[in-house]
Amino acid sequence: MSDQREKAMQRRSKQREAIHEELSKLKTHPRSDELYAIVRRRLPNVSLGTVYRNLDRLQREGMAIEIYCGDFVRYDANVSPHDHFLCRTCRRVWDFEPGALRQEPAPSEPQDVGGFRVDGKYTVFTGLCPDCLRNL
Amino acid sequence: MSDQREKAMQRRSKQREAIHEELSKLKTHPRSDELYAIVRRRLPNVSLGTVYRNLDRLQREGMAIEIYCGDFVRYDANVSPHDHFLCRTCRRVWDFEPGALRQEPAPSEPQDVGGFRVDGKYTVFTGLCPDCLRNL
DNA sequence: TTAAGTGCAAATAGTTTGCCAGAGT
DNA sequence: ACTCTGGCAAACTATTTGCACTTAA
């Protein structure tokens, strides 16, 4: 009764490495197209589809997280638990450690709560960033 | 120096009323197309564009909230602070009051934190819902 | 009467996918 | 060699928008 399926062999690729490295350097939580432009400076032939495929894979493997911003997704190579701030005006995302608004950290192991298996949590604060507040 | 601009007059419409009422009846956090199908039973000629326009307006007026699910948006007429759970498999959204994982409520008034004006907060837990856990 | 709101369809934009060539082990 | 991975472009899907017509006030 054992599962006979072969696990697909995982190969490394310079594209995925470049995508992960460039994402790791950034603190700006780039959109796919922004990261694509940056990776293209290193690998001029990389395609946007490859960026999407690898961001999805990195996320599934726990090496990146997705931040849903409504009209698009932003990516972050910092997978340690932290919150974000989404500016309603410029739609940039910032890391946020709000002191007085401190959150419970996400469970590090999947945890069963009321019949749900919780394996992640994300908190996004919304409002106006300092730049947009200044230009009000 | 006073602002002479006329504020645009706001009219009621049976479409917006129907959209808000039907959304209020639902506890399922529908997608736009799901709500569209329901409203269409009352107003067979409403268009999807009208549903979008009014959901956006209800949200801006504080009568509904948007829940970003990555590939689409879900809507909720319950604007009182509460968290959500997004199932990674079926991508349904549930209300979530996680007891041990209790959150700080969102600030009811805009609050300035480290140069940011925070006017909202949303927390989404992710994982597997009871149904999908059963079918594993 | 008049401009806000709607219906419709076309346009937009982010993301996904099929296919075949290319590369990692 | 075997098959995972990528490049490319077409396809897909949620959402937005332009425009002429309705309708609330």
Side-chain angles (χ1 to χ4, degrees):
Chain A
M1 299 339 188
S2 67
D3 191 335
Q4 299 284 33
R5 277 173 303 184
E6 293 283 337
K7 193 198 296 174
M9 143 99 89
Q10 307 279 57
R11 296 176 183 169
R12 42 194 298 288
S13 78
K14 68 162 95 63
Q15 288 88 342
R16 182 160 51 259
E17 272 167 12
I19 288 164
H20 186 235
E21 282 177 24
E22 295 302 325
L23 180 61
S24 298
K25 285 185 203 163
L26 295 169
K27 305 295 173 217
T28 54
H29 313 88
R31 295 180 256 116
S32 51
D33 62 301
E34 293 169 334
L35 186 58
Y36 170 59
I38 288 164
V39 172
R40 220 153 213 289
R41 302 208 282 255
R42 254 172 84 165
L43 301 172
N45 291 315
V46 85
S47 72
L48 185 54
T50 293
V51 171
Y52 273 109
R53 271 189 289 242
N54 281 301
L55 283 172
D56 180 61
R57 177 164 166 179
L58 290 169
Q59 182 258 327
R60 282 185 284 104
E61 292 174 348
M63 300 171 73
I65 58 175
E66 298 178 337
I67 307 161
Y68 301 155
C69 298
D71 33 10
F72 46 76
V73 179
R74 286 184 175 276
Y75 297 88
D76 191 348
N78 174 8
V79 296
S80 67
H82 63 292
D83 299 329
H84 292 104
F85 178 92
L86 169 63
C87 179
R88 287 192 194 282
T89 302
C90 64
R91 304 198 67 70
R92 280 182 294 179
V93 166
W94 314 67
D95 285 322
F96 209 52
E97 249 351 304
L101 304 173
R102 192 78 200 83
Q103 302 295 298
E104 287 295 316
S108 49
E109 290 299 316
Q111 185 174 346
D112 285 17
V113 180
F116 293 83
R117 174 154 307 159
V118 180
D119 61 21
K121 176 205 133 190
Y122 63 89
T123 295
V124 179
F125 293 87
T126 55
L128 293 173
C129 73
D131 289 350
C132 292
L133 216 42
R134 197 173 306 122
N135 299 329
L136 216 55
Chain B
M1 298 332 195
S2 69
D3 191 334
Q4 299 283 34
R5 278 173 301 186
E6 293 282 338
K7 194 199 294 174
M9 142 100 89
Q10 307 277 58
R11 296 177 184 170
R12 43 192 297 289
S13 79
K14 68 162 100 62
Q15 288 89 338
R16 182 160 50 258
E17 272 166 13
I19 288 164
H20 185 237
E21 282 177 25
E22 295 302 325
L23 180 60
S24 298
K25 286 185 201 163
L26 295 169
K27 305 294 173 217
T28 54
H29 314 88
R31 295 181 257 116
S32 51
D33 63 303
E34 293 169 333
L35 185 59
Y36 169 61
I38 288 163
V39 173
R40 220 150 212 289
R41 300 208 283 256
R42 256 172 82 165
L43 302 171
N45 292 314
V46 282
S47 70
L48 186 53
T50 293
V51 172
Y52 273 108
R53 273 188 287 241
N54 281 301
L55 283 172
D56 180 61
R57 176 164 165 178
L58 289 169
Q59 182 259 326
R60 280 184 285 105
E61 292 175 348
M63 300 172 73
I65 57 174
E66 299 178 337
I67 307 160
Y68 301 155
C69 299
D71 32 11
F72 46 77
V73 177
R74 287 184 175 277
Y75 296 88
D76 190 347
N78 175 7
V79 296
S80 66
H82 63 292
D83 299 330
H84 292 104
F85 178 92
L86 168 63
C87 179
R88 287 191 194 282
T89 302
C90 65
R91 304 197 66 71
R92 280 181 294 179
V93 165
W94 316 67
D95 284 322
F96 208 53
E97 253 345 308
L101 304 174
R102 193 78 201 84
Q103 301 296 298
E104 288 295 316
S108 50
E109 291 299 317
Q111 187 175 345
D112 286 16
V113 181
F116 294 83
R117 173 154 307 159
V118 180
D119 61 20
K121 175 205 134 192
Y122 62 90
T123 295
V124 179
F125 292 87
T126 55
L128 294 172
C129 73
D131 291 351
C132 292
L133 217 41
R134 197 173 303 121
N135 299 328
L136 218 55

